[in-house]
Every structure is written in structure tokens, then in C-alpha cells.
Amino acid sequence: MVPGALVADPARGNLTKQRSVKQDDTTTTAPAPEPQPETPLQAICYGGTLPGIPTHPTFTAHRLWALSHMTALFRHWARHNYSEGMSGHISVRDPEYPSLFWTNPLAVHFGLLRASDMLLVSDAATGPLAGRILAGNRLMRPANRAGWAIHAAVHRRRADVNAVCHAHTRYGKVWAASGRGRLQMVDQDVCNFYGEALAVYEDYGGVVLGQGAGAEGEAMARALGPRGKGLVLASHGLLTVGGTVDEAGFLFGALERSCAVQVALAGMGGPRAVIGEREAEFNFRMASTPETLYWEFQPDYDYELAMSHDRFVDVTEEDLAVWL
């Protein structure tokens, strides 16, 4: 074989150029390097690959990016009628101060929220920062106390979680009130919640207010578990988490749609097809990584940005530097 010849590589299904090594006037062919295993994000791409989750040169740049995506998610929720009066909240952990998180003001429609409206609060129940709005708050509104109790508990318990979503959506409430517990793996998309990724909190204790609010929030966070991505709250609604607000937001919509599918199936009666354990685990492993779930939300982010003519991003890095 001539040095540097192209040979068929059956493992890759293409042509690979082999490297030749000359030793003592004898030419031998060195094996081509082993191909690196694809990531799930690479596996879904053909003819190239999407980049990973963005990184940021400063905390301020990261903060602006997170607030912009958080606001887009609220606009997305408004478009899908996820609002229920003053209920529903999203939180994003601050990238510089991990015991603080951003959340939405009380009694503002999701479709009207802007980045400057978000509130920075502490996850501490006591101490000098407890009960205070620390930054943001263009509209001078308070936060939702029940929402704070739930989100603060999750942020304290799960250091890997940077975003939490909770709302009282139609099919989430129907499923949560049905007493049926976990969702069945009946279609490809619900496999995002395979195994420990979905939990059920069955001990409904009323509105998360009053002296027991902190304990109720902690109980929900415990029910989510160390690896949970979604939580069905009995007689209440749905909750999802993620490493980015994009991941948590896409998962929330996926969980709501999965509840809708299973409510419809329950109404049809009769047998149903259930995906096998091996196939469900494979679907989860390939489709439910942080990078893939981040990208799942980007079409919706781009759409909301275009539909708003960029109006919901109304702060700059300079503004945020003044706030903090």
C-alpha cells in the first residue's frame, strides 16, 4: 500500500487516510485513530453539529443572558395560556451569588414581563437578606411568597439546579388531580421523564403559605429527589428543573404536553402501547442531556425574540453592573 493511501473504514462508513511510519527502510502503516464516541447532541446533527451551551466572559454577561432567556420563556408561557391569575413562577440562580435567585414579580401577566421586571431574592429564610428585594423590580412589585418558598427550597437542596419552573397548567392539573401518579412511557417524548427523572409529591398540604410554608416547600424539594427533572404536585400542578432556564422551560412544556397525551389516552379506554424499558432508557439517554434540552428551547426563544421586536430585553450589562 502506498504511504498515506485512502482506505475504507467500515466503522465510520467513509474513507480514512492512514498514516505511514518509516522504520529501517521498511514502511509500515499505523492504524487510524479510534473515532471518539458521539455526544447525544452530535448524534442528532447531520453534516455538522450545534455548539454547546454558551459560556460567558463575565458574571454580568451571564446574568444578562439568563434574564433574557427567562423573559422569553415567560412570553412563551403566555402564548400557550399557562397563566392562572397570580400563580406561576420561574426562578434562575444568579451566576455570581449562588444563594440568590431571580424570579418574576407578583400579579404581572407573563406576556408583559421584561428583563428589568425580574426580582433578585435570597434563598435564605432568615438573616439580613431574607424577605428583601435585592435588585431589579422595575414595577416595584413583591415576589410571590408561595413561589419563593418552593423555589428557595429546591435551589438550596439541588446545587446542580439553576432554574425552576412551576405553573398551574390545564393538563398538569388534570393529571395531578387524577391520582394516577407517574406517567407511562407511551410515546417518545415522555421518555424525557424516564425513571428517576419524574417524581410525584402526593402529600398536598394546601396553599404554600403561613407557618407551614417552609416545611411544604422543603417536602416538595425532597420529593423531587437528587436526580429529578420533573415533579407532579398532587392537586396542584407541575414543576420542572434544569441547569439552564432553557432546559427547565422546555421540560415544563414537554411535561404539560405529556400529561395532555395521557389524559386523552385515558379517555379513549382500552389497551395502550407502552415503550419497553430498554428503548425508554435509550430515548432518555439520547434526548434528555442538558445540551440537547437547551437547544430544544432555542426555536421558541428565537420566535419570541422576533415577535417582540427585541422589546423584552430592556437592560444592558451596564444596567446590571449598577444593580449589583
Side-chain angles (χ1 to χ4, degrees), residues 14-15 17 37 64 82 86 142 191 230 255 258 266 300 304 310 324:
N14 61 8
L15 297 178
K17 189 172 184 178
L64 178 59
Y82 286 179
M86 295 191 291
C191 293
L255 187 53
S258 293
D300 293 315
E304 295 303 334
D310 299 354
L324 296 174

Side-chain angles (χ1 to χ4, degrees), residues 44 183-195 197 250-251 254-255 257-258 261-262 265 273-289 292-293 296:
I44 202 173
L183 297 170
Q184 287 186 301
M185 301 295 106
V186 295
D187 65 79
Q188 182 170 299
D189 297 318
V190 76
C191 293
N192 280 314
F193 302 100
Y194 170 78
F250 177 77
L251 284 172
L255 187 53
R257 292 187 293 273
S258 293
V261 167
Q262 305 214 2
L265 282 173
V274 177
I275 295 175
E277 284 290 315
R278 185 175 65 177
E279 291 79 10
E281 189 277 332
F282 176 77
N283 291 350
F284 173 78
R285 180 160 37 88
M286 295 303 293
S288 200
T289 66
T292 303
L293 293 171
E296 291 279 20

Side-chain angles (χ1 to χ4, degrees), residues 35-61:
Q36 295 298 310
E38 287 185 319
T39 68
L41 182 61
Q42 290 171 331
I44 202 173
C45 299
Y46 178 82
T49 188
L50 294 167
I53 299 170
T55 58
H56 310 276
T58 65
F59 288 125
T60 303

Side-chain angles (χ1 to χ4, degrees), residues 4-25:
L6 290 175
V7 297
D9 181 355
R12 296 178 64 90
N14 61 8
L15 297 178
T16 301
K17 189 172 184 178
Q18 290 197 334
R19 295 179 291 109
S20 60
V21 180
K22 189 172 184 180
Q23 296 175 342
D24 300 329
D25 296 326

Side-chain angles (χ1 to χ4, degrees), residues 52-307:
I53 299 170
T55 58
H56 310 276
T58 65
F59 288 125
T60 303
H62 191 170
R63 188 175 290 122
L64 178 59
W65 175 82
L67 287 173
S68 300
H69 284 240
M70 177 185 186
T71 310
L73 180 56
F74 275 119
R75 298 294 182 104
H76 177 70
W77 278 17
R79 199 174 299 280
H80 289 271
N81 297 316
Y82 286 179
S83 61
E84 179 82 10
M86 295 191 291
S87 300
H89 13 85
I90 298 169
S91 64
V92 176
R93 190 190 302 273
D94 188 81
E96 186 173 6
Y97 305 104
S99 63
L100 308 182
F101 63 87
W102 298 86
T103 191
N104 51 303
L106 189 63
V108 181
H109 194 279
F110 298 156
L112 299 177
L113 284 167
R114 300 182 181 185
S116 63
D117 298 328
M118 304 309 170
L119 320 175
L120 184 65
V121 296
S122 170
D123 67 14
T126 60
L129 300 183
R132 294 173 52 194
I133 307 300
L134 305 174
N137 201 12
R138 178 180 66 89
L139 297 175
M140 303 300 291
R141 295 284 180 88
N144 184 312
R145 186 181 293 271
W148 175 86
I150 297 168
H151 290 245
V154 175
H155 283 294
R156 286 194 300 265
R157 181 169 285 269
R158 289 280 299 274
D160 61 310
V161 165
N162 291 318
V164 183
C165 297
H166 168 60
H168 301 176
T169 50
R170 176 180 299 177
Y171 291 103
K173 288 193 295 184
V174 171
W175 189 260
S178 72
R180 293 173 180 260
R182 294 172 51 80
L183 297 170
Q184 287 186 301
M185 301 295 106
V186 295
D187 65 79
Q188 182 170 299
D189 297 318
V190 76
C191 293
N192 280 314
F193 302 100
Y194 170 78
E196 294 179 285
L198 184 65
V200 179
Y201 178 64
E202 298 177 340
D203 300 322
Y204 177 69
V207 178
V208 188
L209 294 172
Q211 293 183 346
E216 183 78 355
E218 289 291 343
M220 292 178 183
R222 283 196 302 273
L224 181 65
R227 286 176 286 278
K229 294 172 178 279
L231 182 64
V232 176
L233 303 167
S235 303
H236 189 169
L238 304 176
L239 180 145
T240 57
V241 301
T244 61
V245 70
D246 310 74
E247 177 183 358
F250 177 77
L251 284 172
F252 190 91
L255 187 53
E256 168 69 4
R257 292 187 293 273
S258 293
C259 288
V261 167
Q262 305 214 2
V263 167
L265 282 173
M268 292 173 64
R272 66 187 66 177
V274 177
I275 295 175
E277 284 290 315
R278 185 175 65 177
E279 291 79 10
E281 189 277 332
F282 176 77
N283 291 350
F284 173 78
R285 180 160 37 88
M286 295 303 293
S288 200
T289 66
E291 293 78 16
T292 303
L293 293 171
Y294 162 80
W295 272 103
E296 291 279 20
F297 181 67
Q298 298 322 294
D300 293 315
Y301 174 82
D302 292 340
Y303 184 79
E304 295 303 334
L305 196 64
M307 292 299 101

